[in-house]
Amino acid sequence: MSKKEELLSEIKKLRRKIGSVKVYFNQHQTGGNNGMGYYFDEKDKLWKSYVCGEYNYITHESKNEVAVIEYLYNSVCREAEAHENPLEKIKIIQSKLQSVPVFLNSSSCGAYAIGYFYDPETKHWATYHNDERGSSLYSYYDCEEEAIVEVYKMVKIEYKLQQH
């Protein structure tokens, strides 16, 4: 089995562990907030991997298809890790955060807050990250699990920022 085939096989196994996040093979997906993949960009004549989130962005590009697939594999591994017991991981990190409270299943309009809650108006689970003035950036999810995973990712990033 070639390196490319091995990587693609592992990605296909791992994608069962990443909830509603879709993985696209040799296809550029635009829009949406829950996908990642790789494709060949005819215009640039490069292979590219990408992650769709709050913003769509290219994570790696190369003339070597296997290098791009390997980068996608690493992205899928990080996503799978985020889906493994995210609530427990949040609780561990939460106690180490300095001046950034984390609200689980409740909203806060205070400064520097991260959390999630069920929004009855939209009938979706909302995640939020409040800045120093209390302004909020919201994202919406169909299920609570996906909201918790997103909060875990925000908490993890906040913790890493505080360590530097």
Side-chain angles (χ1 to χ4, degrees):
M1 188 181 290
S2 71
K3 176 78 172 176
K4 174 184 171 181
E5 291 168 332
E6 286 177 32
L7 288 167
L8 291 174
S9 175
E10 287 301 311
I11 291 169
K12 287 174 184 175
K13 289 177 194 172
L14 284 170
R15 72 179 175 180
R16 294 183 200 114
K17 299 180 180 183
I18 58 176
S20 66
V21 178
K22 294 175 180 54
V23 179
Y24 299 95
F25 300 97
N26 205 6
Q27 176 184 359
H28 187 203
Q29 182 68 20
T30 57
N33 66 351
N34 64 346
M36 57 181 68
Y38 82 100
Y39 69 102
F40 185 74
D41 186 328
E42 290 288 341
K43 183 178 143 202
D44 294 340
K45 302 295 183 209
L46 292 171
W47 289 96
K48 297 182 179 182
S49 68
Y50 61 91
V51 175
C52 298
E54 199 59 40
Y55 306 98
N56 295 332
Y57 60 96
I58 300 299
T59 57
H60 188 71
E61 56 188 23
S62 173
K63 292 183 179 189
N64 181 335
E65 181 183 16
V66 174
V68 169
I69 294 171
E70 191 165 34
Y71 205 90
L72 173 63
Y73 169 75
N74 292 331
S75 297
V76 172
C77 286
R78 283 190 297 277
E79 188 67 32
E81 181 272 330
H83 279 78
E84 293 173 5
N85 304 312
L87 198 52
E88 288 81 12
K89 292 175 186 174
I90 290 169
K91 290 177 181 176
I92 291 168
I93 297 171
Q94 182 178 10
S95 64
K96 299 175 185 177
L97 288 178
Q98 301 166 9
S99 67
V100 180
V102 179
F103 294 89
L104 302 175
N105 205 9
S106 67
S107 63
S108 170
C109 56
Y112 293 121
I114 296 172
Y116 81 97
F117 64 97
Y118 183 75
D119 182 356
E121 288 183 29
T122 64
K123 294 184 173 52
H124 286 88
W125 291 91
T127 62
Y128 59 91
H129 188 273
N130 298 350
D131 66 16
E132 71 277 1
R133 295 183 180 156
S135 296
S136 300
L137 177 62
Y138 292 97
S139 294
Y140 296 92
Y141 299 88
D142 293 330
C143 70
E144 185 178 20
E145 178 188 346
E146 294 299 322
I148 292 170
V149 168
E150 186 60 28
V151 168
Y152 166 66
K153 291 176 186 177
M154 288 188 284
V155 167
K156 185 175 167 184
I157 290 169
E158 186 65 38
Y159 180 71
K160 284 182 180 180
L161 289 172
Q162 288 183 7
Q163 299 306 304
H164 290 98

